[in-house]
Amino acid sequence: MTGSGDSVEKQVENLTAEDAREEFLELQTLLWAANREYHSSDAPSISDADYDTAKRRYLDLLDQFPELRKNATQAATVGAPIADGFTKVTHAVRMLSLGNAFEDEDVQNFDTSIRKYLGLDREAALSYTAEPKIDGLSLSLRYENGELVQAATRGDGETGENVTANARTIQALPHRLTGAPAILEVRGEVYMSHPDFEALNARILAKHQADPNPNKKEPKLFANPRNAAAGSLRQLDSRITAERPLRFFAYAWGELSEPLAETQWGAIERLAALGFETNPLTAQCSSPADLLAHYRQIEEQRASLDYDIDGVVYKVDDLSLQERLGFRSTTPRWAIAHKFPAELAWTRLEAIDIQVGRTGALSPVARLQPVTVGGVVVSNATLHNEDYIKGFDSKGEEIRGGKDIRVGDWVQVYRAGDVIPKVADVDLTKRPDDAVPFEFPTTCPECGSQAVREEGDAVRRCVGGIICPAQAVEKLKHFVSRKAFDIDGLGAKQIEMFYEDEHLPIRTPADIFTLQSRDSENLSKLEKRKGWGDQSASNLWAAIDEKRTIAFGRLLFALGIRHVGEVGARDLALHYGDWDVMAQAVDMARAAALAHRAADEAEEAERVAAAEHGRRARVKEARDRALAESNVPDAATAAWSDLTGVDGIGATLGLSLSDAFANSDERAAFDALRAHLTIVPPEAPQKDSPVAGKTVVFTGTLEKMTRAEAKARAEALGAKVSGSVSKKTDLLVAGPGAGSKAKKAADLGIETVDEDGWLELIAGA
DNA sequence: TATCCTCGAGTTCC
DNA sequence: CTCGAGGATA
């Protein structure tokens, strides 16, 4: 604070614009150099105090002379010394989220399904741990030979952000461990205590009030301790993080060179012994009833704790059981988060707007009088669909006790999973007399096309397809989104801008790849426009060029074909290996796809007819008749069954894919796009195990594991588990009592082992 | 046919 | 993060 540079202390008010500019540029150079030195860990040429003073002066000048902003080069932007943000870290062991329980019954089911999976009966002992779920952000700390070498946020679970410099400033974290495994990744929650949070906000406020600048902006206070902790940990300038009182509870681990203990409880004790803070309210419990008792106890203490918690986490205590239970796609089977009831708030519903998504889905959104829910001001909330507003679903079942939602109503709002605002209830006693039931539109509010609701479907969809500007824009946004083409500098905002652009429009995916050549022929060049410069334009061209080579799966996902998501696209890419091979196969299967649809329709017609006449529906015959009438070539049938034989690809997805490729407009768009791209074929995931890529069938009684467990293990090792023996089967695992399957396998000459043989086979993996 | 699980598509706020 | 629906399975 006690700055030495006199020039820095000059009164802003007396400056001419020219003086200001000169001083501004000087400061910029100074700060830039200081940032560079600081981050390359050179000896800094100025003290922290001088740096702060210079920075404050720099920002003051910017406030006073906004026109200076155009002189601010991005690299020197103060407060963000590293312009590009954090580097990415791939977690050695994924950081997963937890499944949720809301009711006592869910906790009982958790116990039941674990016992079922492990094959334990109801009386068998099964111990758990229960600990408060801290409302902060998870952090993974990697120690090698006792040294803290890396800290990473959770991110999407696969990769997080490298926040090592910031983590090193957290006082509560041991920087060096003694007696720890050579490799130890400690995971836990970074949080801020209530007193520290309030003191921080008070400090920000005081600093603000002390600021003599008359043009100062409103102080930016943190809404809650969690935001404060997140904001502090994700500071690009770790000196700021150092000033923030962050704390850390350890509760889990990632990669380990040796086990920490045999139980969860023991592992936590071990982490505590190594110097990590662990939560004192952790307990060992021996039954669901015990877990619930501990839950209530923590719930009672909740208000008196000096940190925020949002539930209680239950984990299977025995680590070898944890390992057997393993993981579903995104959550472990051996742990669950029992959430406290969400915070509720009442407010007025001011309007209901309809948004149109990329598939044409009309989604109602509630515009609310802003209200604070769980520390965040909410002004929008999802209303899901037509039925949710009406209060009855298509089967006539009540939603919210059958109360409909009307504009003008008092509505109760909560944040589902503490994130997505939802309207939960309506106060009928406060309903205005003139409130009328909401009429859900039957035409698209964006393009005027019909909006139809398929039988049994919850959503109403605009049929306009690519004609509908809303769908076209949303489709393009999907195309450039992170899991699709992921083009730097071409996000949702830019897509909206370019879609509307007169001179340089992007209306189809292919337009993205002709953008630069069209720009060069254009009179109103991009780099001449407001908000664009030489640099930003050439950055965009480079980012687009980078994606002219694209993985097959990403491309297929990017097209936004209904029902073809990230996983489906990847599986299809893996199955066909090549774009043209797939396109040909899909074309070939067209006749069979249409026949399948005809059969569905015939089946439905038969049901209706049967219901009318009060007779039993002869569904199968109706289907067979329809299929026979369609007279599908064998090659088409073969292509169709090959397509729908892919794991996870069924008739719905097959039809959707077929329709997209058969639609001449869409097909033309695909072909136009393809001309600009080099498509990289997918690499089969190579698992290093003796059963990778093999198709395995289990039969008979398994004694050392349950069916579900055997299947999950086999799949984790890259095997495909099938229910029936065919000539594609590579291995049959037969327990006692194996019958027809074992015989069939013997007939086909398929290798057969017993359970022990199987365990031996996979033992090394 | 019912039941489980996963995926797709929708959503808000920072 | 949640819901609904698709797909696999018992």
Side-chain angles (χ1 to χ4, degrees):
Chain A
M1 303 283 171
T2 53
S4 59
D6 283 346
S7 68
V8 166
E9 302 288 315
K10 250 191 281 177
Q11 283 295 306
V12 172
E13 288 70 19
N14 302 333
L15 280 178
T16 67
E18 190 43 42
D19 285 347
R21 202 179 88 88
E22 202 168 296
E23 185 185 352
F24 180 83
L25 291 175
E26 252 172 55
L27 284 168
Q28 182 162 272
T29 313
L30 175 85
L31 290 167
W32 191 6
N35 284 333
R36 229 193 9 235
E37 288 160 5
Y38 183 80
H39 288 283
S40 57
S41 64
D42 288 346
S45 56
I46 63 170
S47 71
D48 281 8
D50 286 346
Y51 177 91
D52 286 347
T53 314
K55 178 162 130 191
R56 214 153 9 105
R57 174 67 176 172
Y58 176 90
L59 294 174
D60 282 351
L61 285 169
L62 257 186
D63 275 348
Q64 198 77 5
F65 300 94
E67 68 274 17
L68 289 175
R69 203 162 287 278
K70 60 178 184 290
N71 290 307
T73 65
Q74 207 194 346
T77 306
V78 178
I82 309 168
D84 293 343
F86 300 103
T87 56
K88 294 255 185 289
V89 172
T90 302
H91 297 296
V93 177
R94 278 201 300 162
M95 288 181 87
L96 293 140
S97 50
L98 296 176
N100 291 324
F102 297 98
E103 313 287 336
D104 290 3
E105 196 192 336
D106 300 335
V107 178
Q108 190 61 58
N109 290 340
F110 171 63
D111 178 71
T112 309
S113 71
I114 285 175
R115 286 173 186 274
K116 193 170 153 203
Y117 191 92
L118 294 172
L120 297 175
D121 59 36
R122 255 189 302 163
E123 285 73 36
L126 182 58
S127 165
Y128 296 95
T129 62
E131 68 197 286
K133 187 172 192 300
I134 314 298
D135 190 14
L137 16 15
S138 16
L139 186 68
S140 184
L141 303 161
R142 187 180 175 90
Y143 290 84
E144 287 176 7
N145 301 314
E147 295 282 344
L148 175 61
V149 294
Q150 187 172 74
T153 61
R154 192 175 90 91
D156 63 3
E158 300 268 354
T159 51
E161 287 177 323
N162 186 337
V163 292
T164 313
N166 291 344
R168 285 194 217 272
T169 70
I170 301 176
Q171 304 277 316
L173 287 182
H175 289 199
R176 182 164 294 144
L177 307 175
T178 44
I183 294 172
L184 168 62
E185 281 183 11
V186 178
R187 292 176 178 176
E189 203 82 353
V190 173
Y191 68 100
M192 194 179 282
S193 76
H194 292 160
D196 286 342
F197 162 69
E198 269 143 35
L200 173 63
N201 266 352
R203 223 165 64 217
I204 293 172
L205 196 61
K207 211 169 181 179
H208 174 76
Q209 283 163 350
D211 187 346
N213 183 346
N215 294 339
K216 62 193 176 184
K217 291 189 228 101
E218 280 297 296
K220 271 177 81 187
L221 296 182
F222 287 109
N224 54 49
R226 204 231 313 215
N227 286 358
S232 303
L233 191 69
R234 297 190 69 258
Q235 280 293 331
L236 290 165
D237 185 343
S238 62
R239 285 172 296 183
I240 297 177
T241 310
E243 292 168 2
R244 304 281 172 81
L246 295 174
R247 300 173 184 225
F248 181 82
F249 277 130
Y251 56 69
W253 53 90
E255 191 181 358
L256 294 173
S257 54
E258 60 189 85
L260 286 171
E262 283 178 7
T263 60
Q264 177 77 30
W265 180 260
I268 297 304
E269 283 188 320
R270 179 85 195 281
L271 291 175
L274 287 169
F276 292 94
E277 209 178 322
T278 58
N279 194 284
L281 298 176
T282 309
Q284 271 176 308
C285 299
S286 57
S287 67
D290 249 17
L291 290 173
L292 292 172
H294 195 62
Y295 174 87
R296 311 235 184 284
Q297 204 191 321
I298 290 177
E299 196 176 27
E300 268 175 38
Q301 294 184 56
R302 184 181 183 189
S304 60
L305 295 175
D306 76 355
Y307 46 87
D308 284 337
I309 61 176
D310 56 4
V312 180
V313 177
Y314 309 138
K315 293 175 183 166
V316 169
D317 195 25
D318 186 324
L319 297 185
S320 61
L321 293 184
Q322 282 190 10
E323 196 175 327
R324 278 181 60 192
L325 285 158
F327 301 89
R328 282 184 289 254
S329 66
T330 59
T331 58
R333 287 194 187 82
W334 42 265
I336 198 167
H338 190 176
K339 295 291 197 68
F340 294 134
E343 195 183 314
L344 302 165
W346 288 92
T347 188
R348 214 176 78 94
L349 175 61
E350 296 188 320
I352 295 176
D353 286 354
I354 303 288
Q355 293 181 347
V356 182
R358 83 175 149 90
T359 63
L362 267 48
S363 335
V365 179
R367 306 297 178 196
L368 306 165
Q369 209 169 71
V371 62
T372 303
V373 194
V376 174
V377 177
V378 165
S379 43
N380 302 307
T382 173
L383 290 166
H384 291 296
N385 54 46
E386 198 169 351
D387 291 343
Y388 195 81
I389 298 175
K390 218 189 295 165
F392 290 93
D393 72 13
S394 53
K395 293 191 207 100
E397 303 266 354
E398 290 186 353
I399 304 170
R400 293 181 310 277
K403 290 187 262 181
D404 71 326
I405 298 173
R406 303 184 184 185
V407 173
D409 270 337
W410 275 90
V411 292
Q412 190 185 45
V413 183
Y414 74 102
R415 296 204 307 147
D418 279 336
V419 182
I420 312 286
K422 289 182 58 169
V423 171
D425 201 4
V426 181
D427 187 345
L428 293 183
T429 66
K430 287 194 178 167
R431 172 167 288 174
D433 293 336
D434 57 353
V436 291
F438 181 72
E439 278 199 37
F440 205 91
T442 53
T443 55
C444 173
E446 301 285 340
C447 74
S449 302
Q450 284 297 307
V452 300
R453 200 171 155 186
E454 299 280 330
E455 176 84 24
D457 229 356
V459 294
R460 189 174 280 279
R461 287 198 157 82
C462 161
V463 298
I466 213 76
I467 308 292
C468 175
Q471 284 188 56
V473 171
E474 294 304 315
K475 255 192 138 156
L476 283 167
K477 285 186 192 168
H478 172 78
F479 185 84
V480 299
S481 66
R482 199 168 54 81
K483 289 177 170 177
F485 269 71
D486 193 20
I487 298 173
D488 274 355
L490 193 61
K493 273 258 165 59
Q494 281 73 29
I495 286 294
E496 279 180 8
M497 193 271 287
F498 279 118
Y499 189 83
E500 302 286 338
D501 200 288
E502 289 176 66
H503 303 289
L504 199 58
I506 295 177
R507 303 272 161 74
T508 68
D511 291 345
I512 293 170
F513 297 97
T514 59
L515 201 60
Q516 185 177 7
S517 58
R518 285 185 289 143
D519 183 59
S520 62
E521 294 159 4
N522 220 301
L523 292 174
S524 83
K525 291 238 170 75
L526 190 60
E527 63 262 34
K528 299 270 164 23
R529 300 190 194 183
K530 218 176 111 207
W532 290 85
D534 288 358
Q535 191 62 46
S536 45
S538 73
N539 284 351
L540 181 59
W541 310 142
I544 291 172
D545 284 343
E546 206 180 304
K547 299 300 160 79
R548 286 179 197 269
T549 301
I550 190 88
F552 184 8
R554 266 184 189 259
L555 167 63
L556 190 51
F557 172 64
L559 298 177
I561 298 166
R562 186 134 93 99
H563 297 122
V564 181
E566 192 192 357
V567 176
R570 202 208 316 115
D571 291 349
L572 284 168
L574 213 50
H575 181 74
Y576 289 108
D578 177 90
W579 174 270
D580 292 320
V581 171
M582 182 186 74
Q584 263 180 28
V586 173
D587 289 342
M588 182 68 84
R590 183 63 179 163
L594 291 175
H596 186 91
R597 176 172 286 145
D600 277 351
E601 281 161 7
E603 182 181 326
E604 189 51 38
E606 165 65 11
R607 266 187 227 284
V608 172
E612 256 173 37
H613 296 97
R615 64 174 166 83
R616 244 183 96 249
R618 292 150 117 175
V619 168
K620 194 164 183 311
E621 283 151 50
R623 282 201 80 94
D624 288 347
R625 202 163 46 237
L627 285 175
E629 277 168 20
S630 337
N631 209 358
V632 180
D634 286 352
T637 308
W640 174 252
S641 48
D642 182 55
L643 170 62
T644 53
V646 178
D647 226 12
I649 310 292
T652 307
L653 200 156
L655 267 168
S656 181
L657 189 69
S658 179
D659 286 348
F661 273 71
N663 177 310
S664 58
D665 288 343
E666 288 208 65
R667 187 59 171 269
F670 296 166
D671 290 339
L673 171 65
R674 196 195 175 306
H676 299 285
L677 302 175
T678 307
I679 304 171
V680 182
E683 267 177 58
Q686 295 208 351
K687 297 239 176 155
D688 212 14
S689 92
V691 293
K694 300 274 177 69
T695 298
V696 181
V697 175
F698 292 95
T699 186
T701 315
L702 300 176
E703 287 162 336
K704 300 208 168 72
M705 52 195 167
T706 62
R707 213 36 103 68
E709 189 179 354
K711 182 173 188 296
R713 275 294 294 283
E715 280 169 353
L717 295 169
K720 182 178 182 312
V721 177
S722 165
S724 57
V725 175
S726 73
K727 52 184 189 297
K728 284 185 182 170
T729 309
D730 296 300
L731 179 68
L732 182 77
V733 181
S740 61
K741 282 183 196 169
K743 188 170 175 299
K744 190 170 178 193
D747 291 347
L748 291 167
I750 288 164
E751 187 187 352
T752 302
V753 295
D754 62 11
E755 190 179 357
D756 287 330
W758 164 254
L759 289 172
E760 218 170 283
L761 184 65
I762 62 170

